[in-house]
């Protein structure tokens, strides 16, 4: 039968083959990967895609970016020689490897004389007959990507790739579970678990409904995703007509990507999970995941455990010891702010730590206990999976180790830090341009210190267990709470001493007073004392942990915090030259410094908006919040108002009240429109206009509603009018000289100032979509800086 294959072979073609259809009897061959099917609008291509040395898959990809959206034989690549995709006379589409094995087939059958394979503009590869009856389509068999209009149904699921470069099936799946919920599953080599929606929430708490069993989800081309279980989201660029794809990435997160035509790149416009360590199976068993802003997720083995497979963290870590049978030979090592979700073999409440530890010792397979002092909740863990370290966790783990193990702990400590240094080879990490190697070194150092500290605590805990003291247990998790993170907890007494009783006030805001202080290690610090009981301890710690992890040369560095009773304090590096506001009013900045401040501020904000996985909006950009160090390098300060923001969830209730300072607030706040990072862009534009013109926006009367309008328009319209005047009158003197601060001495490159003003004017467009992003601002300014000097 195969003898009647009609080959449409290479010999007949000289130019690259490019067509959107392909008829019975034709084939594509792997020797000529440039011979592809393309959709009529050229957006998609289908053909042989190289996935390794002499390894090809038949795939569909976006022509411009080569981003794969579908693969026929992802788990069985074919040879580069004599492999081909053929449409047989009987209507079957088959992929053969090296002229021998059929590795993939559609198993279609048609006697119709015309059967065609067409790649549509939607990215759907369709096998149809003359009457356009669909025999087979790639949309019915998605791999890791859902395209607009493509249905996810009860019969289909997305399966992630194994890694960024390996397109074989990975461990993560998106599918409708038996309760009709759209879920994410980690289907690992040893265990499997659902991690989205959060498994500890019941469906309606997660905003889902189990009642509709149609099990259908679809993304439309404008960026609206909706699923029959009531889950839905809008992309953060909803409404824009552009190319999109919803991909289950190899790291277990689903992301919606939008194609940015100008930059020819994909940008994330929504993602399901904001805390990447919450994704199960990230680091494998017996290890801890920690999220480091700027470099992504990090895995490390627990003390006493070593990595199983150095080239792949998903295999996790294995113990270097055997758990002793005799219970007197075990000890417990405290790991603070750590959680291992699931795999409990026992749960008790109203237990003391002793009771809890003893119950664990009764079981041979109990590897650790999770203990919470408030209610005496005690969980016995049989497997240590989904380990997650985060300073905002109020949970502690007591890890069971053999008693004689702690004596040989010295060597294990070393190995532990060596494992940290493997970070470079972690495959599951997202690839980011590493902002600072320093961060890793710092992390290692602190972690090593943390482990050292824990060792001391371990001895203390053992002592507690032996002596059976019940009372002291509540206090023993202080002091080292955040030892493993880059910043620390201070006591109120320490800070009181540092500031000599809060005497030297250096700033005052609506919610706080800032004092200058000298820490015990002689570092000069700015200590910000928040008004009492602003927020609960949990909220405060949550926000502190976010701020503490942000690390950029144009963001103020936070060294620590204090939370004691009603006291809430933050400890920052001290900035010699104070705020930009102060410097503007005293008129000490020259044009060069101004430009550098504008650029540095933009870089800091761009980092906040775009480089962190957990998107942060500032929401209160103003000269008071831009601080200058001894070299007048700017650092953006005061993230007090910033909050984690899920870009998809624009109607987030935490943003329903207005934030920010009048005069710098974008119109979105006033008109109750969705809040995006563009609000900071607006405020930034106003700040730049103020710097350049030497005029302040907040000079007029503050009437509540009309006032907002008036303030916005005053400065902006004045500058805009000056610019437009020139366009109409064609005078030779530049409009820029009409608007710049006349008191400013010295001549500098006015061309740059002009560009700065033009960028600022784009930033203050009423329509948020007309404003550039912060990183575009950086690009424009850098370009101009390099361009004309
Ligand atoms: C991709 O991953 C699979 C599964 O782990 C493995 O069998 C295969 O060899 C990998 N392919 C490449 C090209 O690394
Ligand atoms: C998104 O799609 C769903 C279902 O089709 C619809 O109910 C909803 O109104 C849409 N949202 C918007 C903003 O268009
Ligand atoms: C179930 O979901 C589908 C798709 O979202 C929708 O068309 C249908 O009306 C829903 N059925 C009920 C009973 O709500
Ligand atoms: C793809 O690239 C071509 C040529 O570089 C360009 O003309 C076209 O606009 C690009 N398409 C998209 C969707 O970016
Ligand atoms: C480690 O993982 C890689 C990639 O999955 C695999 O090829 C290799 O065989 C593994 N090594 C061991 C010792 O398990
Ligand atoms: C907890 O245990 C203590 C003593 O064992 C007992 O007095 C107390 O009532 C218990 N509390 C609860 C909520 O069961
Ligand atoms: C610890 O004790 C166990 C059992 O008593 C023994 O097998 C093991 O070798 C000891 N380990 C060390 C490091 O001494
Ligand atoms: C710890 O190990 C190092 C290097 O192996 C050794 O020099 C040091 O003396 C050890 N410390 C203790 C307390 O055993």
């Amino acid at each position: 039968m195969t003898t009647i294959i009609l080959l449409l072979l290479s010999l007949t073609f000289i130019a690259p083959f490019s067509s959107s259809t392909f008829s019975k009897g034709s084939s594509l061959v792997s020797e000529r990967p440039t011979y592809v099917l393309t959709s009529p609008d050229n957006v998609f291509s289908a053909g042989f895609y190289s996935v390794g040395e002499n390894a090809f898959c038949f795939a569909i990809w976006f022509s411009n970016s080569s981003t794969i959206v579908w693969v026929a034989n992802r788990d069985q690549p074919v040879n580069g020689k004599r492999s081909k995709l053929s449409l047989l006379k009987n209507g079957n589409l088959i992929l053969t490897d090296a002229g021998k094995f059929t590795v993939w087939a559609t198993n279609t059958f048609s006697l119709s004389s015309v059967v065609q394979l067409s790649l549509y503009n939607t990215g759907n590869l369709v096998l149809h007959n003359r009457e356009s009856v669909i025999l087979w389509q790639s949309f019915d068999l998605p791999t890791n990507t859902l395209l607009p209009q493509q249905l996810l149904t009860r019969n289909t699921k997305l399966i992630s790739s194994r890694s960024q470069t390996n397109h074989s099936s990975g461990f993560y799946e998106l599918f409708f579970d038996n309760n009709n919920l759209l879920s994410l599953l980690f289907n690992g080599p040893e265990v499997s678990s659902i991690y989205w929606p959060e498994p500890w929430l019941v469906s309606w708490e997660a905003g889902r409904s189990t009642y509709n069993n149609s099990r259908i989800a679809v993304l439309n081309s404008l960026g609206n995703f909706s699923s029959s279980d009531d889950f839905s989201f809008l992309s953060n660029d909803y409404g824009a007509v552009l190319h999109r794809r919803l991909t289950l990435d190899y790291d277990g997160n689903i992301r919606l990507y939008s194609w940015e035509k100008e930059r020819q790149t994909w940008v994330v416009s929504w993602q399901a999970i904001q805390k990447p360590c919450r994704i199960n199976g990230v680091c494998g068993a017996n290890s801890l995941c920690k999220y480091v802003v700027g470099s992504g997720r990090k895995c490390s083995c627990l003390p006493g455990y070593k990595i199983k497979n150095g080239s792949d963290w998903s295999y996790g870590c294995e113990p270097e010891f055997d758990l002793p049978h005799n219970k007197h030979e075990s000890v417990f090592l405290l790991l603070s702010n750590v959680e291992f979700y699931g795999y409990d073999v026992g749960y008790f409440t109203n237990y003391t730590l002793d009771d809890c530890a003893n119950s664990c010792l009764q079981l041979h397979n109990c590897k650790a206990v999770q203990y919470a002092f408030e209610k005496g909740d005690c969980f016995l863990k049989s497997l240590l999976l989904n380990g997650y370290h985060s300073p905002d966790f109020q949970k502690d783990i007591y890890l069971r180790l053999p008693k004689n193990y702690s004596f040989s702990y010295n060597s294990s400590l070393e190995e532990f830090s060596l494992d940290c240094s493997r970070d470079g080879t972690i495959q599951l990490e997202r690839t980011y341009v590493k902002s600072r190697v320093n961060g890793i070194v710092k992390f290692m150092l602190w972690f090593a210190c943390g482990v050292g500290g824990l060792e001391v605590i371990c001895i203390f805990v053992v002592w507690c267990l032996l002596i059976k003291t019940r009372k002291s247990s509540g206090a023993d998790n202080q002091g080292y709470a955040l030892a493993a993170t880059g910043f620390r907890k201070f006591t109120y007494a320490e800070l009181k001493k540092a500031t000599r009783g809060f005497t030297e006030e250096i700033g005052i805001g609506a919610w706080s007073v800032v004092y200058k202080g000298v820490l015990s290690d002689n570092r000069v610090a700015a200590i910000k004392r928040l008004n009492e009981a602003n927020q609960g301890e949990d909220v405060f710690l949550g926000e502190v942990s976010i701020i503490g992890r942000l690390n950029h040369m144009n963001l103020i560095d936070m060294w620590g915090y204090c939370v004691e009773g009603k006291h809430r304090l933050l400890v920052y590096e001290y900035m010699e030259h104070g705020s930009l506001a102060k410097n503007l009013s005293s008129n000490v900045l020259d044009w060069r410094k101004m430009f550098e401040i504008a650029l540095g501020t933009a870089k800091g904000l761009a980092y906040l908006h775009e480089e962190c996985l957990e998107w942060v909006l500032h929401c209160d950009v103003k000269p008071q919040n831009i601080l200058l160090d001894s070299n007048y390098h700017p650092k953006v300060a005061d993230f007090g108002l910033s909050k984690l923001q899920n870009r998809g969830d624009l109607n987030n209730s935490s943003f329903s009240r207005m934030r920010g300072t009048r005069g710098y607030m974008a119109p979105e706040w006033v008109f109750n429109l969705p809040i995006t990072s563009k609000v900071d862009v607006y405020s930034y534009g106003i700040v730049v206009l103020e710097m350049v013109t030497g005029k302040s926006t907040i000079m007029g009367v503050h009437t509540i509603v009309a006032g907002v309008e008036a303030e916005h328009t005053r400065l902006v319209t004045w500058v805009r009018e000056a610019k437009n005047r020139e366009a109409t009158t064609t005078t030779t003197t530049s409009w820029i000289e009409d608007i710049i601060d006349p008191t400013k001495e010295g001549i500098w490159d006015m061309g740059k100032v002009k560009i700065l003003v033009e960028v600022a004017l784009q930033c203050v467009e009423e329509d948020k979509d007309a404003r550039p992003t912060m990183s575009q601002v950086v690009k424009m300014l850098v370009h101009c800086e390099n361009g004309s000097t």
Side-chain angles (χ1 to χ4, degrees):
M1 253 217 259
T2 43
T3 50
I4 40 170
I5 301 170
L6 219 167
L7 300 179
L8 195 85
L9 262 182
S10 40
L11 303 171
T12 51
F13 285 99
I14 294 140
F17 171 93
S18 179
S19 142
S20 67
T21 59
F22 172 104
S23 315
K24 250 185 176 177
S26 316
S27 43
L28 280 180
V29 293
S30 58
E31 279 96 342
R32 287 183 173 69
T34 50
Y35 291 12
V36 293
L37 283 177
T38 51
S39 57
D41 62 4
N42 281 327
V43 169
F44 293 96
S45 305
F48 284 95
Y49 190 100
S50 168
V51 294
E53 208 175 305
N54 193 36
F56 288 83
C57 285
F58 181 71
I60 303 173
W61 61 90
F62 277 98
S63 310
N64 278 20
S65 61
S66 294
T67 308
I68 291 190
V69 297
W70 180 80
V71 189
N73 55 322
R74 63 192 305 199
D75 293 319
Q76 205 175 344
V78 295
N79 273 287
K81 285 237 163 16
R82 299 182 50 233
S83 295
K84 62 176 179 276
L85 179 87
S86 325
L87 182 50
L88 305 183
K89 280 273 192 218
N90 62 8
N92 197 1
L93 183 68
I94 64 165
L95 179 63
T96 47
D97 186 11
K100 292 189 203 117
F101 315 103
T102 300
V103 298
W104 177 84
T106 56
N107 299 321
T108 43
F109 179 80
S110 170
L111 290 175
S112 159
S113 62
V114 177
V115 174
Q116 280 190 324
L117 184 67
S118 306
L119 183 58
Y120 290 172
N121 283 344
T122 52
N124 195 3
L125 185 67
V126 179
L127 194 60
H128 57 92
N129 63 17
R130 199 210 311 262
E131 294 77 38
S132 291
V133 173
I134 293 176
L135 303 173
W136 174 91
Q137 56 181 343
S138 64
F139 267 20
D140 289 340
L141 299 150
T143 49
N144 67 347
T145 296
L146 207 62
L147 290 170
Q149 327 299 350
Q150 182 177 5
L151 296 181
L152 189 72
T153 67
R154 62 175 67 242
N155 300 319
T156 58
K157 59 183 173 187
L158 301 187
I159 300 179
S160 67
S161 292
R162 193 67 178 75
S163 73
Q164 195 164 31
T165 49
N166 186 337
H167 298 278
S168 333
S169 304
F171 296 136
Y172 297 99
E173 299 181 2
L174 176 75
F175 70 116
F176 281 99
D177 74 3
N178 291 337
N179 295 320
N180 303 320
L181 296 183
L182 186 64
S183 308
L184 280 173
L185 172 78
F186 168 65
N187 191 4
E190 280 155 19
V191 292
S192 65
S193 50
I194 284 186
Y195 56 95
W196 182 83
E198 279 98 342
W200 54 89
L201 299 179
V202 279
S203 57
W204 46 266
E205 283 177 327
R208 308 292 192 91
S209 150
T210 53
Y211 302 122
N212 188 329
N213 74 353
S214 54
R215 299 194 193 169
I216 281 182
V218 66
L219 170 73
N220 76 13
S221 54
L222 298 179
N224 178 356
F225 180 90
S226 65
S227 153
S228 56
D229 67 354
D230 285 356
F231 172 73
S232 65
F233 69 82
L234 295 181
S235 75
N236 75 336
D237 52 8
Y238 174 73
V241 179
L242 35 74
H243 298 301
R244 300 172 189 279
R245 64 184 167 98
L246 185 73
T247 301
L248 176 53
D249 283 322
Y250 67 95
D251 66 355
N253 209 345
I254 346 169
R255 297 189 179 83
L256 179 63
Y257 292 87
S258 304
W259 179 250
E260 224 176 65
K261 211 166 175 178
E262 304 79 49
R263 290 196 288 152
Q264 292 282 299
T265 179
W266 291 104
V267 294
V268 177
S269 49
W270 177 83
Q271 67 179 357
I273 292 163
Q274 304 306 328
K275 294 188 170 169
C277 283
R278 279 288 190 200
I279 295 168
N280 287 359
V282 171
C283 299
N286 306 314
S287 65
L288 282 179
C289 176
K290 187 179 147 84
Y291 177 71
V292 181
V293 169
S295 49
R297 307 185 293 193
K298 300 277 176 219
C299 303
S300 57
C301 288
L302 291 173
Y305 290 77
K306 64 173 193 295
I307 189 164
K308 230 175 179 171
N309 184 334
S311 61
D312 194 341
W313 269 102
S314 57
Y315 291 92
C317 305
E318 58 192 0
E320 295 178 313
F321 55 82
D322 291 321
L323 267 188
H325 293 277
N326 187 333
K327 64 177 188 171
H328 297 298
E329 286 171 4
S330 288
V331 292
F332 286 89
L333 175 66
L334 170 61
L335 304 174
S336 294
N337 309 104
V338 164
E339 186 187 35
F340 287 94
Y341 184 75
Y343 307 98
D344 304 321
V345 278
Y347 165 61
F348 307 99
T349 188
N350 202 14
Y351 258 37
T352 62
L353 181 56
D354 287 8
D355 296 339
C356 187
N358 278 324
S359 330
C360 178
L361 294 178
Q362 308 300 328
L363 298 172
H364 183 248
N365 66 348
C366 176
K367 300 219 168 87
V369 300
Q370 180 138 4
Y371 186 74
F373 282 100
E374 307 88 68
K375 290 196 215 134
D377 283 342
C378 165
F379 298 87
L380 310 182
K381 299 281 173 190
S382 62
L383 284 177
L384 300 176
L385 284 163
N386 312 327
Y388 181 6
H389 172 103
S390 167
D392 49 341
F393 266 142
Q394 296 303 300
K395 289 179 178 169
D396 295 335
I397 280 279
Y398 295 84
L399 181 67
R400 185 177 173 189
L401 291 171
K403 192 185 279 178
N404 59 4
Y405 193 76
S406 51
F407 300 116
S408 61
Y409 202 62
N410 188 10
S411 65
S412 119
L413 180 67
E414 260 180 276
E415 203 161 329
F416 191 28
S417 22
L418 271 178
D419 282 347
C420 295
S421 67
R422 298 185 110 103
D423 283 344
T425 62
I426 295 174
Q427 293 201 332
L428 285 170
E429 202 177 86
R430 293 195 53 185
T431 48
Y432 273 104
V433 183
K434 292 231 164 63
S435 52
R436 275 210 268 174
V437 179
N438 198 4
I440 297 169
V441 175
K442 234 195 230 166
F443 164 69
M444 280 166 56
L445 211 65
W446 278 104
F447 221 149
C449 295
V451 171
L454 289 173
E455 195 182 354
V456 174
I457 298 314
C458 164
I459 293 161
F460 179 60
V461 169
V462 174
W463 181 75
C464 285
L465 286 171
L466 290 178
I467 310 288
K468 289 200 184 277
T469 37
R470 286 165 183 238
K471 55 180 194 269
S472 62
S473 40
D476 68 358
N477 65 350
Q478 280 192 358
Y480 52 87
L482 287 163
T485 70
F487 62 113
R488 64 171 278 226
K489 181 173 181 171
F490 292 84
T491 64
Y492 184 69
E494 243 177 308
L495 296 183
K496 190 166 177 188
K497 181 160 168 251
T499 55
R500 283 174 293 145
F502 301 105
T503 42
E504 199 176 335
E505 220 178 76
I506 52 175
I508 187 158
W511 312 102
S512 59
V513 184
V514 185
Y515 301 90
K516 184 174 175 179
V518 181
L519 302 178
S520 54
D521 57 5
N522 290 325
R523 285 186 299 175
V524 184
I527 296 170
K528 178 178 216 171
R529 187 175 180 169
L530 304 181
N531 291 358
E532 291 189 352
N534 253 338
Q535 345 165 268
E537 190 169 325
D538 293 354
V539 180
F540 177 79
L541 286 180
E543 294 203 14
V544 160
S545 76
I546 296 159
I547 306 165
R549 286 178 292 158
L550 298 173
N551 190 352
H552 187 272
M553 59 190 267
N554 295 114
L555 295 181
I556 195 104
D557 209 350
M558 185 158 105
W559 290 339
Y561 68 97
C562 162
V563 45
E564 255 177 49
K566 285 200 177 315
H567 302 301
R568 304 272 186 275
L569 297 101
L570 298 170
V571 181
Y572 294 102
E573 62 180 321
Y574 177 72
M575 299 290 280
E576 210 132 314
H577 281 114
S579 73
L580 174 62
K582 193 185 97 187
N583 284 277
L584 285 179
S585 60
S586 61
N587 207 2
V588 290
L589 302 172
D590 60 30
W591 285 115
R592 180 181 300 279
K593 281 182 194 141
M594 290 266 219
F595 189 87
E596 276 163 10
I597 290 168
L599 178 56
T601 306
K603 284 180 180 168
L605 290 172
Y607 175 82
L608 275 185
H609 290 173
E610 286 157 50
E611 286 179 46
C612 319
L613 254 189
E614 300 177 339
W615 293 301
V616 176
L617 306 189
H618 189 290
C619 296
D620 197 14
V621 177
K622 57 180 175 181
Q624 287 77 6
N625 287 337
I626 297 166
L627 303 182
L628 305 177
D629 72 5
S630 51
N631 296 319
Y632 289 97
H633 291 315
K635 295 199 182 203
V636 178
D638 202 350
F639 307 97
L641 290 173
S642 73
K643 232 193 168 11
L644 279 189
Q645 165 74 330
N646 175 348
R647 285 193 198 178
D649 188 7
L650 297 174
N651 300 319
N652 193 320
S653 58
S654 66
F655 270 84
S656 55
R657 68 202 156 93
M658 275 205 201
R659 287 154 178 271
T661 303
R662 217 192 330 277
Y664 301 93
M665 274 169 23
E668 289 98 289
W669 293 114
V670 182
F671 299 112
N672 222 354
L673 295 170
I675 297 307
T676 64
S677 58
K678 295 293 180 68
V679 300
D680 288 346
V681 176
Y682 186 94
S683 310
Y684 171 83
I686 298 283
V687 170
V688 170
L689 290 182
E690 280 187 15
M691 281 166 65
V692 174
T693 59
K695 291 184 168 32
S696 171
T697 48
I698 358 184
M699 46 194 174
V701 198
H702 291 180
T703 46
I704 301 300
V705 180
V708 176
E709 265 286 293
E711 282 156 15
H712 279 133
T713 46
R714 187 171 302 148
L715 180 65
V716 176
T717 359
W718 179 65
V719 175
R720 242 184 228 137
E721 275 166 10
K723 186 179 172 207
N724 291 342
R725 242 194 331 274
E726 188 195 53
T728 51
T729 57
T730 67
T731 49
T732 44
T733 60
S734 174
W735 57 275
I736 205 77
E737 296 183 12
D738 294 336
I739 61 143
I740 56 169
D741 186 353
T743 64
K744 191 140 293 314
E745 304 274 328
I747 306 158
W748 195 53
D749 187 344
M750 277 306 137
K752 287 186 188 172
V753 178
K754 187 170 162 191
I755 288 170
L756 189 58
V757 174
E758 279 167 348
V759 170
L761 283 179
Q762 287 179 42
C763 292
V764 297
E765 286 289 350
E766 297 292 306
D767 174 8
K768 71 176 166 57
D769 295 328
R771 297 174 209 152
T773 63
M774 257 0 272
S775 58
Q776 284 166 338
V777 170
V778 171
K779 221 175 250 174
M780 291 188 273
L781 296 185
V782 167
H783 185 249
C784 132
E785 189 183 36
N786 300 338
S788 44
T789 32

